[in-house]
C-alpha cells in the first residue's frame, strides 16, 4: 500500500474601504436649547457601497439619560450589504479645526440596524 499525502491551503480576502465625511455645523451655539431628542442630520453619504448619515443631538437623547450636559452623535446605516462591518471614528473639531480634547471616539460594530458611538 502506497503512502498518500495531501495538502491544501485557503485564504480569506477582505475588502477595506477608506472614506471621509465632514459634517460641519457652523454656529453650533445656536442649536443650544433645541431640546432632548431633537437632532440635526448630515446629508446621506456613501462609503463602502453603503449609505449612511450622522445625527447629532445638541441637547442629548433619551437613550443616554443621566449624562448631564452632553452632545449625542449617532452614525446611521441606511442601506447596503447585509452583515457589513465598519470601523469608524467620530471627532469633534474646534473653531480652528483642531480635534477637541473633549470628544473623540471610535467603534467597530456589526451593522444590523442603526448603531451609535459617543
Amino acid at each position: 500500500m502506497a503512502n498518500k499525502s495531501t495538502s491544501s491551503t485557503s485564504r480569506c480576502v477582505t475588502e477595506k474601504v477608506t472614506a471621509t465625511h465632514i459634517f460641519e455645523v457652523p454656529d453650533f451655539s445656536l442649536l443650544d436649547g433645541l431640546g432632548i431628542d431633537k437632532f440635526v442630520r448630515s446629508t446621506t453619504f456613501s462609503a463602502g457601497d453603503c449609505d449612511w448619515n450622522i445625527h447629532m443631538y445638541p441637547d442629548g437623547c433619551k437613550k443616554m439619560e443621566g449624562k448631564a450636559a452632553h452632545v449625542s452623535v449617532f452614525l446611521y446605516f441606511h442601506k447596503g450589504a447585509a452583515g457589513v462591518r465598519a470601523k469608524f471614528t467620530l471627532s469633534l473639531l474646534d473653531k480652528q479645526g483642531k480635534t477637541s480634547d473633549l470628544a473623540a471616539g471610535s467603534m467597530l460594530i456589526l451593522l444590523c440596524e442603526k448603531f451609535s458611538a459617543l
Side-chain angles (χ1 to χ4, degrees):
M1 188 180 278
N3 262 348
K4 286 190 173 182
S5 177
T6 62
S7 174
S8 66
T9 61
S10 62
R11 183 176 187 187
C12 174
V13 179
T14 58
E15 179 183 351
K16 178 182 175 183
V17 176
T18 301
T20 300
H21 179 78
I22 297 172
F23 177 35
E24 184 177 353
V25 183
D27 298 319
F28 175 79
S29 62
L30 295 177
L31 297 175
D32 188 35
L34 187 64
I36 294 176
D37 278 346
K38 304 288 186 203
F39 63 91
V40 294
R41 153 184 35 217
S42 72
T43 58
T44 300
F45 57 94
S46 294
D49 294 327
C50 297
D51 288 344
W52 314 84
N53 72 17
I54 298 167
H55 290 197
M56 182 190 60
Y57 297 74
D59 294 326
C61 64
K62 286 184 182 173
K63 66 174 95 178
M64 299 304 297
E65 272 185 274
K67 308 280 187 193
H70 71 281
V71 173
S72 298
V73 181
F74 295 84
L75 178 64
Y76 282 82
F77 171 76
H78 285 281
K79 69 177 182 178
V84 67
R85 294 170 57 94
K87 181 177 182 181
F88 63 94
T89 301
L90 298 172
S91 299
L92 177 65
L93 305 179
D94 63 19
K95 290 179 183 179
Q96 289 74 39
K98 296 179 183 171
T99 303
S100 169
D101 293 335
L102 300 175
S106 61
M107 179 178 259
L108 176 64
I109 195 154
L110 177 62
L111 304 174
C112 299
E113 39 185 308
K114 49 190 169 182
F115 60 94
S116 63
L118 293 178

